[in-house]
Amino acid sequence: DAKTTQPPSMDCAEGRAANLPCNHSTISGNEYVYWYRQIHSQGPQYIIHGLKNNETNEMASLIITEDRKSSTLILPHATLRDTAVYYCIVGGNQFYFGTGTSLTVIP
Amino acid sequence: DTAVSQTPKYLVTQMGNDKSIKCEQNLGHDTMYWYKQDSKKFLKIMFSYNNKELIINETVPNRFSPKSPDKAHLNLHINSLELGDSAVYFCASSRRLAHSTDTQYFGPGTRLTVL
């Protein structure tokens, strides 16, 4: 059901930028790209979403390629509290979560 | 002032029992959802619901049924519990159903253990 592909795990040094890639080659024209994260044992938390243009908010930036077949979530200055599983989701009214990327921020 | 809340946080019960998990949102949203996260951490949608439409994931057994007394609540009833029902169940809400720009807000989860 999931329409996205993400690397299973990544490490990032504290204070550095974390770049999390996602492939969504079958995305349709009206589907948005969403990013959520799940910190251990908590409910998923919304991070950012976008359609075509790059987006930035207080948590992260989202870079979407021109053909919309892939995107990258950027956490500009990763902290230890950013250690979590990050889910890239393509969808409309129903979300289909994939296996996500387990990001570990290393001191 | 929790946006989406669930009770109980933990639920331990015997096989064959019937149990309910409650969910409440104070965001004024029209749509609520139930997700199941199994031991492999795979998060799957079970239901999405507003006052007009229930969308059921076809893989969900009919032992599971959502019940909504009002727009702010969506409870999950599970009949004849089985070992495979052990999982963490998350409730979520969003402003509208079938609108691709709406963010979903998740509750803290209910860990169900069936013995």
Side-chain angles (χ1 to χ4, degrees):
Chain A
D1 291 323
K3 301 179 182 180
T4 63
T5 304
Q6 299 175 252
S9 64
M10 291 181 65
D11 292 339
C12 178
E14 189 178 16
R16 303 299 293 268
N19 297 284
L20 291 90
C22 179
N23 287 324
H24 32 80
S25 57
T26 61
I27 192 171
S28 61
N30 62 349
E31 289 182 317
Y32 281 68
V33 179
Y34 285 83
W35 283 83
Y36 281 72
R37 71 181 182 184
Q38 188 174 23
I39 297 170
H40 180 64
S41 297
Q42 298 181 21
Q45 176 192 22
Y46 167 79
I47 301 173
I48 199 167
H49 75 283
L51 183 63
K52 293 181 184 178
N53 300 321
N54 299 337
E55 302 287 345
T56 296
N57 63 20
E58 65 277 4
M59 289 181 70
S61 294
L62 174 60
I63 309 297
I64 303 174
T65 58
E66 192 169 343
D67 62 8
R68 302 213 322 125
K69 293 185 177 181
S70 65
S71 61
T72 301
L73 178 75
I74 301 172
L75 307 178
H77 305 286
T79 70
L80 299 179
R81 288 178 294 179
D82 291 324
T83 292
V85 178
Y86 287 77
Y87 295 99
C88 168
I89 303 159
V90 166
N93 59 309
Q94 291 208 351
F95 282 175
Y96 294 96
F97 285 76
T99 52
T101 295
S102 178
L103 175 69
T104 302
V105 180
I106 302 169
Chain B
D1 58 347
T2 303
V4 182
S5 59
Q6 297 178 226
T7 54
K9 186 169 177 63
Y10 300 97
L11 180 57
V12 181
T13 188
Q14 300 286 331
M15 276 176 52
N17 285 350
D18 302 336
K19 289 294 179 184
S20 295
I21 306 172
K22 295 184 177 181
C23 178
E24 177 181 1
Q25 53 94 6
N26 62 6
L27 298 167
H29 288 168
D30 286 334
T31 305
M32 298 181 73
Y33 310 82
W34 278 105
Y35 288 82
K36 176 182 179 181
Q37 188 168 42
D38 59 25
S39 57
K40 295 181 179 178
K41 303 296 184 182
F42 201 62
L43 195 62
K44 288 185 179 179
I45 188 163
M46 301 175 71
F47 305 100
S48 55
Y49 181 82
N50 68 8
N51 59 357
K52 297 177 182 176
E53 187 174 1
L54 171 66
I55 300 174
I56 303 172
N57 186 322
E58 62 274 9
T59 65
V60 176
N62 57 14
R63 298 181 295 104
F64 290 78
S65 57
K67 294 210 175 8
S68 180
D70 54 61
K71 197 174 78 167
H73 297 84
L74 183 67
N75 303 325
L76 181 65
H77 294 267
I78 316 171
N79 295 324
S80 303
L81 277 156
E82 300 178 357
L83 294 177
D85 298 332
S86 295
V88 181
Y89 292 85
F90 289 100
C91 176
S93 73
S94 65
R95 280 194 300 158
R96 293 162 290 184
L97 182 65
H99 196 286
S100 59
T101 62
D102 283 343
T103 301
Q104 292 187 22
Y105 295 85
F106 285 79
T110 296
R111 181 174 294 277
L112 171 65
T113 302
V114 182
L115 303 175

